[in-house]
Structure formats: structure tokens, C-alpha cells
Amino acid sequence: MIMCGIVGAINGSRVVNELLDGLKRLEYRGYDSAGLAVSHNNSILIRKAEGALSNLETKLDLSPVEGRIGIAHTRWATHGEPSIANAHPHRNDRVSVVHNGIIENYEELRACLEAEGFTFQSQTDTEVVPHLIASLMASGFSPEAAALEATKRLQGAYALGILFEGEEEFFCATRKGSPLAIGHGEEAMFIASDAIALAPMTQRVSYLENGDFAIVSQNGVCVRDENGTAVERPVEQSRASAESHEKGSYSHFMIKEIHEQPDILNHVFNVPVQKKQNCNMAYEDFESLSIVACGTSCYAGQIARYWFERYAGLRVDVDIASEYRYRHSPLPQKGAALFISQSGETADTLAALEHARLQGQTIISLVNVPESSIARASDHVIQTLAGPEIGVASTKAFTAQLAALARLVIAAGIARGTLSIRDARALKVELSRVPEIVSAALSLNGQIRAAASVLQNSQSALFIGRGVNWPLACEGALKLKEISYIHAEGLGAGELKHGPIALVDGNLPVVALAPPDELQEKTLSNIKEVQARGGQIILISDERTLSGLDFEPAATIAVSAELDAPFASDLVMPFLYSIPLQLLASETALKRGCDIDKPRNLAKSVTVE
Ligand code: M6R
């Protein structure tokens, strides 16, 4: 099983640079290996390399290839180790293939093809595809007819780019389940897993529908739908930016993205035109709201649950997308479902969205990529406006999601009559100050370094908080584990005594979030319980609380915000307390020598279930 990014190109001269440009912009889908194939002078030339795309570039420098037609791939492996043999393109003498998705019946197909005499070089499901096409060509099918016939025999999800040896006038592309965009250039045509990959080449993009089969040539594309009928898919003007993503003066994208947050939040809360974005839904008609997402996006949803219930009187369920469909939860007739996704391509979230649509829910999505699959499948789209997020660990997208959700909550509260205009205004005033307090929190370097030293050599850590700080603690734990490889768990502080406190000893750091709110006293007593058992506390709170402690934490991080409307505390604090958590994770990971932008085993966007 693989998830990955694919690109294909045909033009009048040379496609290798375009293929590499496309792959660079798809590395968020995986970086276990990369490869490309070009067809030239009647043969297919392939280059592959393990690890990041730069390794493939080095290989191409040493051993260049030329050609005006080609396909390329960046891989995230789940079936078959990351290795050259398992890297795409997969091939035989006649056909070469790149694939995003999973061929579920590959074992059965492989057994038949092996019986026919085909030999397999890899452990992947994908390799059955070139052999199946070659087998059909051997029985008399033309290349394109063989490719079409082969796809009819595949079960599972796929987006495929298919290149034929000796055929330099066209390649084939098809999709079912996995997304595929077609780029319409000047005497050049492209395919890619998304429009972002195509942005340096063309802004004119169409999207294949499920079951579509396309023949792509230099001057256009012929598409047939799943019934074999010729169809035209509308060409749209993509808004994906062609700008290359640079780190500027920062050492890592994650650090850069953490520091971009004040500007992004300022844009969301204080630029009038953005403030109005998409808040015109009939909130008063919704009986309840299901929020569905994965990872960090799900924690943003869990924080927003507290807000929706408190300020908008709206009952909210929050589910992780990979479980939502299997819960058989009866959904209300006038229910709405909100799908949160940075990438807009997360397969679990997209599948959950389709499930909710079948249950008659109004589909709202909150995405950072406006042309993503999730956005295109929604009734209402709200944009997070964070700009491209490159670091695998989500930071600015998380606080931008919170910002969009905070605005939505206020709009819903007003529409549903649970929030007076006066209180709504007070909340907005507090939110307008968020960029400034977040900016101040970015200069905590000394305290962050001291706290990271406590975590640096640990095997495990707990993160605790109450109320909105519980999901925020889970987000802090996720950040730490994904980039520093320290096991970490987020807990509601009140749950400690129900089991996890058994873990506490002198080697267990406990990161505690204790803002000055109505739950602070309870959180502080949970912290003392940990302290009494020898746990190493890293306490994140305001200066006044930290100066009045009657115990000594292993480290403290002081963040402060004076609120004029104290009832806004749970709305404002998650923005402020996110910052030390992000900095703590990145500093700890850097101290441990980890690659914080491309942590092992992960991909930015998880495009298989
Ligand atoms: O693109 P999405 O927001 O749908 O992605 C969801 C998760 O895969 C993502 O938040 C993941 O947990 C991040 N790596 C966390 O930093």
C-alpha cells in the first residue's frame, strides 16, 4: 500500500525539470523515495533514489536523462519498505507506471501474472499494473485499450500515470478514489496529484472525476468517464501559487511557520475583508454539529467544541475521521458536519465527508488549500488563510484553524441568539489582541531552552490541562512525539488519578498548562499531586501564578495576557499557550538532532485510509 504524489508531463522538448518541479511541491505526500521515467528514442529511462527528492536530483546530475514525455513519483511507504526496488515508477519492457493509492486485489492479480511468466522486482501492490497492461498488450490490445482494460480489473483506490515504451505522443492517466488534476499548458500538458504541483507550469487546471480515463497528448486531453462516454471536464483557473517555498533566514520551515503566526492571526482578526469570510450560514437551523478531522486538525475541533457549546449553545460531537464512519451514529435530519483539514486531501477525512453527505448533513469544510478535494466536495468552504504549510508538524495551520473557528463561533452565537451583540463585540476585541500576545510569546527562548533540557533525554512525557487546555495538551504531546520521537500523551488533568499517575517517577516530565482561569486551582492541585510523587513539572502559566507557587517545578514558562473580558479566557488562551508548546517541541527535537521538517515515517498529507 502506498500513498504518494504523482506527476506526468508532455511537451515539445524536455520534461525532466517540470517533473522535478512538480515532485518538489508534492513532497508533502511522502519522502521515502522518488523516481521518474522518460520515454526517449523508443526506450523508457528510469532513475530512482531512496529518501528525499534531493537524492534523486543528485542521481540525475550524475546520470542525466532526456525526453519530452515522462512520469514521476514521490513515495510514502506502508507496504514494502522504503527502498529503490519499491520506489516508483514500476515497469516491465513495455510499460512504466506511477501510482497513488492501493490496489486491494494485487495478490490475486500477482499470482495470475506470475503464472503467465511475469517476474516481480518489488514488494509493492503497484507492480501488478504494468505487468497486467503488458499482458493485455501481448494479447492484442493497443496500449491505451490495454491500460483502460487493466483499470477495470483493479480493485481499490488509485491515481495512475502510465507511460508506454516507444510511444512518445501520449501517456494515459486515470483515477478512482485518489485525486488527479490535469494541467493545460502552452503546447504542453501535465498531470499531478494536485494543482499546487502544477502551479509553476500552468494555472489552467481540470480535475478527473472518479472512474475517468484520460489520454494526454501535447496539445490536449481526451477523457472518457467510467461508462466510456467522451466527456469534457471544465478547465478552471487555479489559485495555487507558483512561488517556490523558501525558508528565508530560518533554519527550518517549522520555525519559520511558528514565527508567521502573529501576521496570519492579524490578517484573520484585524483585516476587515477577511473577518467576513464565509460566516453566512444558517447556523440557527442546525440542531447539532459533528466536527470530524485527524491529528492536529482534530484537536482544533476539540477546542472549538468547548467554544460552540458555551458561546453558541450548539451541541457538538467531535470524531477522528478514521472512526466516524464506523460508529453508526444516528445523525440528525438538520445536522451539519464540519470537516477540518489543513491539506484538504486527508483520505480519512474525505471518506468521512462522503459518509456524512449520504446521511443528509450540510457539509462545511475548513481547509488551508482552497482547491483541495475536501473543499471541492463541500457545501460551504471556509479557508484558514495560513498560507502553504511545509513543515510536517502543523503549527500555523493549527492556530489559523482556531482563528477561523473562533470567528465562526461568534457568528453562530449571534445568529442563534446565545451571544448578545455586546458580548460578541467584547470577544472580538479580545481576539483582535491575540496577534500581539502571540508575538510576545515568541520571544521566550531562554525559558524554552531550559524546559527542553528537562525533556531532552526522557523516554516519555505527559501533557496535562483542563477545559480547552486538555485538547491543547494533546496537541502539545502530538507535536513533541512526531518530531522528537519521545513518547508523549495528553491528558485531562483530572484523569491523572484514574491510572496515568502510576507512571509518575523522577524520570517522567509532566508538561502542565495552567492559565489563570476558572479551572486553574484544580489544575494546580493535580500538578502538586505529580510533584509529591517526584514527577518533573514543566509548568506553563502566567507570571503571577508562577511567582506565587509553594513548590518548585523543574522548569517554568511564563506567558501572560490581561483580558478586559475575563469570560473570553477560554477563547483567547489556546492561541497564547500553543506557542510555548510548539517551541518546546521544536527545541527538544533540535537538541536531539531530529529533522523537524521531515520527521521519520511521516508525510505531510495522509492520502490513504
Ligand atoms: O491535512 P490535515 O489537517 O487533514 O492533516 C491531519 C493530520 O494528518 C495532521 O494534522 C498531522 O497530525 C500533523 N502532522 C500534526 O502535526
Side-chain angles (χ1 to χ4, degrees):
M1 193 212 296
I2 50 142
M3 66 171 203
C4 44
I6 68 175
V7 197
I10 176 167
N11 64 24
S13 52
R14 192 170 184 271
V15 288
V16 172
N17 289 343
E18 272 92 351
L19 294 175
L20 289 172
D21 274 356
L23 286 187
K24 264 178 212 151
R25 300 166 72 88
L26 286 174
E27 258 196 312
Y28 74 87
R29 288 170 167 261
Y31 38 80
D32 286 338
S33 64
L36 59 76
V38 289
S39 185
H40 188 54
N41 288 343
N42 289 328
S43 58
I44 293 178
L45 304 168
I46 292 191
R47 298 289 181 270
K48 300 182 188 186
E50 261 185 72
L53 184 59
S54 50
N55 297 342
L56 177 65
E57 291 178 302
T58 308
K59 203 163 224 181
L60 282 163
D61 286 342
L62 296 172
S63 172
V65 291
E66 293 286 342
R68 54 179 288 264
I69 179 168
I71 53 178
H73 188 272
T74 182
R75 177 171 191 250
W76 184 81
T78 60
H79 188 113
E81 61 187 9
S83 65
I84 300 250
N86 289 333
H88 295 215
H90 289 289
R91 68 172 305 173
N92 56 42
D93 289 347
R94 310 188 69 177
V95 187
S96 185
V97 167
V98 289
H99 170 216
N100 168 30
I102 169 171
I103 310 295
E104 284 165 1
N105 58 336
Y106 82 97
E107 283 177 332
E108 187 189 311
L109 290 170
R110 182 169 173 149
C112 294
L113 290 159
E114 280 175 336
E116 276 182 46
F118 287 95
T119 40
F120 282 73
Q121 311 295 332
S122 77
Q123 301 157 302
T124 66
D125 53 339
T126 305
E127 201 185 345
V128 296
V129 183
H131 295 321
L132 183 55
I133 296 171
S135 160
L136 290 161
M137 285 166 70
S139 67
F141 283 86
S142 67
E144 58 274 37
L148 177 60
E149 180 59 28
T151 59
K152 291 183 187 156
R153 301 184 191 186
L154 303 179
Q155 288 165 16
Y158 51 79
L160 296 167
I162 306 163
L163 191 65
F164 305 96
E165 181 151 298
E167 183 48 76
E168 284 163 35
E169 294 308 317
F170 70 87
F171 63 93
C172 293
T174 181
R175 69 157 288 228
K176 190 176 138 203
S178 306
L180 200 58
I182 308 276
H184 303 249
E186 291 295 321
E187 297 189 14
M189 291 292 295
F190 309 93
I191 61 165
S193 296
D194 66 29
I196 300 171
L198 297 174
M201 284 77 91
T202 180
Q203 303 292 124
R204 299 182 66 238
V205 171
S206 57
Y207 294 92
L208 293 187
E209 298 286 333
N210 254 341
D212 280 359
F213 183 87
I215 298 176
V216 186
S217 51
Q218 192 185 338
N219 293 313
V221 60
C222 297
V223 183
R224 292 196 176 271
D225 69 12
E226 58 187 344
N227 303 314
T229 310
V231 285
E232 297 241 343
R233 298 298 175 205
V235 178
E236 300 165 18
Q237 195 65 25
S238 163
R239 282 171 291 163
S241 160
E243 266 174 46
S244 62
H245 305 137
E246 304 291 344
K247 290 195 281 263
S249 57
Y250 292 96
S251 59
H252 296 84
F253 280 108
M254 183 183 178
I255 312 275
K256 174 174 180 253
E257 287 158 3
I258 289 173
H259 283 84
E260 282 171 6
Q261 292 174 106
D263 277 352
I264 293 165
L265 295 169
N266 190 39
H267 202 59
V268 178
F269 289 134
N270 295 327
V271 175
V273 70
Q274 303 300 352
K275 285 203 269 188
K276 296 204 179 99
Q277 196 215 181
N278 272 319
C279 290
N280 55 351
M281 278 172 281
Y283 304 99
E284 57 281 18
D285 291 347
F286 298 150
E287 277 176 21
S288 67
L289 181 67
S290 309
I291 299 183
V292 186
C294 300
T296 291
S297 298
C298 194
Y299 293 132
Q302 286 181 17
I303 291 170
R305 166 168 49 191
Y306 287 84
W307 297 345
F308 273 112
E309 295 189 341
R310 174 169 183 183
Y311 299 110
L314 187 59
R315 212 183 66 74
V316 174
D317 283 325
V318 185
D319 279 83
I320 50 172
S322 52
E323 289 298 325
Y324 177 66
R325 282 180 299 159
Y326 307 113
R327 217 154 55 80
H328 302 289
S329 170
L331 298 174
Q333 281 208 326
K334 288 168 82 178
L338 170 62
F339 297 87
I340 307 176
S341 174
Q342 186 285 128
S343 61
E345 298 294 345
T346 301
D348 286 317
T349 310
L350 188 56
L353 182 156
E354 277 150 18
H355 172 77
R357 182 175 291 294
L358 289 175
Q359 309 289 312
Q361 305 299 288
T362 299
I363 307 294
I364 309 161
S365 64
L366 173 56
V367 292
N368 197 35
V369 182
E371 288 161 56
S372 58
S373 304
I374 289 173
R376 285 186 289 114
S378 304
D379 300 321
H380 301 273
V381 182
I382 302 159
Q383 290 181 38
T384 37
L385 305 170
E389 190 178 63
I390 310 297
V392 164
S394 189
T395 52
K396 64 174 183 172
F398 174 66
T399 47
Q401 285 165 348
L402 290 180
L405 289 163
R407 273 200 342 248
L408 211 60
V409 164
I410 295 175
I414 295 170
R416 293 170 66 82
T418 50
L419 202 57
S420 68
I421 297 292
R422 198 168 145 211
D423 284 350
R425 198 171 298 133
L427 291 178
K428 286 182 190 170
V429 169
E430 299 294 6
L431 288 173
S432 70
R433 294 174 47 219
V434 160
E436 181 192 317
I437 58 174
V438 162
S439 185
L442 285 169
S443 56
L444 291 167
N445 298 346
Q447 296 174 55
I448 297 289
R449 272 198 294 275
S453 307
V454 177
L455 286 170
Q456 183 181 358
N457 297 315
S458 309
Q459 302 246 317
S460 192
L462 296 182
F463 285 66
I464 59 170
R466 282 174 178 259
V468 288
N469 295 297
W470 167 29
L472 193 59
C474 296
E475 166 59 9
L478 174 59
K479 245 13 14 126
L480 183 72
K481 73 183 129 191
E482 74 177 324
I483 59 172
S484 75
Y485 318 143
I486 296 173
H487 168 255
E489 217 180 313
L491 294 167
E495 271 298 289
L496 267 178
K497 286 199 283 287
H498 299 284
I501 203 164
L503 295 167
V504 173
D505 62 17
N507 298 318
L508 184 81
V510 178
V511 181
L513 303 176
D517 60 15
E518 61 220 22
L519 296 171
Q520 189 189 46
E521 252 181 54
K522 287 188 192 300
T523 310
L524 287 174
S525 23
N526 297 135
I527 294 169
K528 284 185 201 164
E529 288 155 11
V530 173
Q531 174 87 10
R533 285 156 183 85
Q536 293 179 286
I537 307 290
I538 297 172
L539 180 54
I540 310 179
S541 188
D542 67 319
E543 269 151 22
R544 193 181 320 162
T545 305
L546 294 176
S547 60
L549 293 175
D550 55 6
F551 63 94
E552 201 174 328
T556 57
I557 301 173
V559 284
S560 290
E562 295 298 325
L563 298 181
D564 291 333
F567 76 104
S569 172
D570 61 351
L571 200 63
V572 170
M573 293 306 168
F575 294 98
L576 178 58
Y577 280 69
S578 295
I579 305 302
L581 293 175
Q582 296 169 353
L583 293 173
L584 189 56
S586 60
E587 182 66 26
T588 308
L590 290 174
K591 277 179 185 285
R592 287 165 66 90
C594 302
D595 181 346
I596 63 171
D597 283 339
K598 288 187 180 157
R600 70 184 181 205
N601 305 338
L602 290 176
K604 180 72 183 156
S605 170
V606 182
T607 56
V608 290
E609 289 178 44

